[in-house]
């Protein structure tokens, strides 16, 4: 007796749920079609969102899928030195052969773009600050903060901003 009662209750509840679902479906259908003149159904708005360009996504670096800006080639960055890319505001260094680093080229003192890479340092010509090519840390002030690291990808001969 008890199992039968349970079964009926379950069936009744399931039936009630289905009716509610149907009612909701009909209600929303009628609402979107008749009362508003919104030309885009909710479904379309949802599919638009993922197609937004991922300009600031930091985790999109898959080997072979990297589609960042091609910055330079490895031969353009001297071993023990570096190359400044003023437009991109990036300095790429190669402290030892095959070991590439990149830093912001914006001096942390007052925002000048650094001027040269020489004798193991990235030098700002505005007030004389110098930063290590190995980690961007300050060697000579007045700057007190290191140059922030930038992400690059070295793939074959090319160096790409990540
Ligand atoms: Fe670079 Fe002052 S802005 S040292």
């Amino acid at each position: 007796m008890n199992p039968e009662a349970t079964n009926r209750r379950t069936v009744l509840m399931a039936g009630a749920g289905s009716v509610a679902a149907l009612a909701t479906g009909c209600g929303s259908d009628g609402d979107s079609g008749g009362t508003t003149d919104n030309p885009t159904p909710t479904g379309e708005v949802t599919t638009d969102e993922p197609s937004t360009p991922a300009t600031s996504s930091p985790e999109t670096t898959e080997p072979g899928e990297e589609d960042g800006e091609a910055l330079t080639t490895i031969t353009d960055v001297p071993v023990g030195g570096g190359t400044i890319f003023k437009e991109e505001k990036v300095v790429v260094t190669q402290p030892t052969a095959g070991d590439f680093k990149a830093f912001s080229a914006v001096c942390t003192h007052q925002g000048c773009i650094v001027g040269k890479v020489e004798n193991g340092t990235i030098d700002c010509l505005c007030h004389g600050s110098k930063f290590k090519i190995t980690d961007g840390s300050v060697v000579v002030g007045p700057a007190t903060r290191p140059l922030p690291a930038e992400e690059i990808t070295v793939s074959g001969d090319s160096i790409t901003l990540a």
Side-chain angles (χ1 to χ4, degrees), residues 3-158:
E4 256 187 1
T6 307
N7 278 343
R8 279 190 189 162
R9 223 176 276 143
T10 307
V11 168
L12 282 176
M13 287 174 73
S18 297
V19 169
L22 282 174
T24 307
C26 286
S28 63
D29 237 3
D31 283 348
S32 65
T35 51
T36 62
D37 56 346
N38 183 359
T40 51
T42 322
E44 271 185 42
V45 172
T46 308
T47 53
D48 277 352
E49 281 182 34
S51 69
T52 333
T55 50
S56 61
S57 175
E59 297 293 316
T60 55
T61 51
E62 281 284 319
E65 274 189 28
E66 177 55 50
D67 202 33
E69 289 177 58
L71 191 63
T72 187
T73 58
I74 57 174
T75 52
D76 286 336
V77 182
V79 176
T83 304
I84 298 163
F85 301 92
K86 293 189 176 188
E87 250 181 53
E88 292 83 1
K89 298 179 180 171
V90 170
V91 55
V92 178
T93 64
Q94 188 177 188
T96 58
D99 180 27
F100 293 91
K101 312 266 185 188
F103 306 97
S104 166
V106 179
C107 180
T108 56
H109 177 230
Q110 287 184 3
C112 287
I113 300 296
V114 294
K116 65 179 178 177
V117 182
E118 199 174 77
N119 300 321
T121 58
I122 302 161
D123 304 345
C124 180
L125 305 180
C126 286
H127 310 100
S129 292
K130 296 185 178 198
F131 308 86
K132 278 188 194 171
I133 63 169
T134 53
D135 61 4
S137 61
V138 177
V139 177
V140 175
T144 57
R145 290 172 292 129
L147 294 176
E150 294 281 338
E151 276 192 55
I152 52 169
T153 302
V154 181
S155 176
D157 282 352
S158 71

